[in-house]
Amino acid sequence: DQQVKQNSPSLSVQEGRISILNCDYTNSMFDYFLWYKKYPAEGPTFLISISSIKDKNEDGRFTVFLNKSAKHLSLHIVPSQPGDSAVYFCAASPINFGNEKLTFGTGTRLTIIP
Amino acid sequence: DAGITQSPRHKVTETGTPVTLRCHQTENHRYMYWYRQDPGHGLRLIHYSYGVKDTDKGEVSDGYSVSRSKTEDFLLTLESATSSQTSVYFCAIRPTGVYEQYFGPGTRLTVT
């Protein structure tokens, strides 16, 4: 049972345009959401996160939107740059400080076309 | 840089042999995690640790064991490697008080 879903395995976007990556979740206990970026042969790196008390969080070119009623989050990258080409994973966690575990989606491969 | 190293970085082994992967951190974080990454599955949690000698299972723990005798080291052991355990293995740490986990560079394991 995939509790965090990224339904688009790949996405291609022209350089300078907006990239929108989507993620859906099914577990209503999830209250904190994160995006990771992964280059080949490297470990995932943390990108941006959002708590369920917010509907938007922005960090430079990256903005994450959360629609809790739809159990949907998205990552917007504006403007897209060639260095953004990577695999992006969304992850979710319940807010329960203790032994928090992240549940990851299957990833979306983003390719920025120069 | 979260000060995480993994060894070895690459390993090829035969079915039925035991294999131990090591994760080492330099910042004394309490929480450490082992994941495997496979195409179509994303990152799946194998085992995690919340302190020295304190470990628990993740969603794909069958065939794996872990040990943490020192804060800085978290070992993942495949008792008898199988071809289905061919994967890329990532270790992660989580600083206390935050949700973000920080990952090591990974170990590519091939079981022939």
Side-chain angles (χ1 to χ4, degrees):
Chain A
D1 176 31
Q2 193 75 25
Q3 297 186 66
V4 178
K5 302 177 185 178
Q6 294 177 256
N7 292 317
S8 297
S10 62
L11 175 68
S12 294
V13 174
Q14 206 79 29
E15 182 179 357
R17 302 285 191 127
I18 183 171
S19 295
I20 300 176
L21 295 95
N22 294 304
C23 181
D24 297 293
Y25 62 97
T26 58
N27 189 338
S28 57
M29 297 301 292
F30 289 147
D31 266 350
Y32 197 86
F33 305 90
L34 307 91
W35 284 95
Y36 282 81
K37 175 179 180 178
K38 187 184 179 305
Y39 292 122
E42 295 184 11
T45 55
F46 169 68
L47 198 53
I48 192 169
S49 61
I50 188 167
S51 161
S52 62
I53 63 174
K54 295 184 174 182
D55 55 16
K56 175 182 172 181
N57 189 27
E58 200 170 342
D59 183 1
R61 295 187 299 114
F62 302 91
T63 303
V64 56
F65 295 92
L66 176 62
N67 182 332
K68 203 174 177 187
S69 61
K71 293 190 175 67
H72 176 83
L73 62 153
S74 60
L75 175 68
H76 293 211
I77 306 173
V78 182
S80 300
Q81 299 174 354
D84 297 329
S85 294
V87 177
Y88 289 79
F89 293 99
C90 67
S93 174
I95 291 185
N96 178 23
F97 266 121
N99 302 327
E100 289 80 5
K101 295 177 282 187
L102 296 179
T103 301
F104 284 84
T106 53
T108 296
R109 181 178 301 279
L110 175 65
T111 301
I112 305 303
I113 304 163
Chain B
D1 183 2
I4 307 167
T5 57
Q6 293 185 232
S7 58
R9 294 293 314 279
H10 301 271
K11 186 168 182 68
V12 180
T13 192
E14 293 184 349
T15 298
T17 58
V19 176
T20 295
L21 309 183
R22 180 182 182 236
C23 177
H24 178 78
Q25 59 148 329
T26 58
E27 298 180 0
N28 291 323
H29 295 295
R30 180 181 172 192
Y31 299 99
M32 298 184 76
Y33 305 80
W34 275 108
Y35 292 87
R36 59 178 290 174
Q37 185 200 1
D38 303 289
H41 290 279
L43 291 150
R44 292 181 293 174
L45 182 65
I46 305 171
H47 281 279
Y48 63 102
S49 170
Y50 43 97
V52 172
K53 293 187 169 53
D54 291 324
T55 65
D56 206 348
K57 296 179 180 180
E59 64 175 306
V60 290
S61 59
D62 286 350
Y64 302 95
S65 62
V66 289
S67 66
R68 192 163 178 206
S69 57
K70 299 186 291 184
T71 300
E72 57 265 37
D73 289 324
F74 192 30
L75 304 180
L76 177 71
T77 297
L78 290 67
E79 303 290 347
S80 176
T82 68
S83 58
S84 65
Q85 294 175 311
T86 291
S87 186
V88 181
Y89 291 85
F90 290 102
C91 172
I93 60 92
R94 179 172 68 80
T96 302
V98 302
Y99 292 92
E100 299 81 37
Q101 296 180 16
Y102 297 90
F103 287 80
T107 294
R108 180 173 293 276
L109 176 68
T110 303
V111 183
T112 61

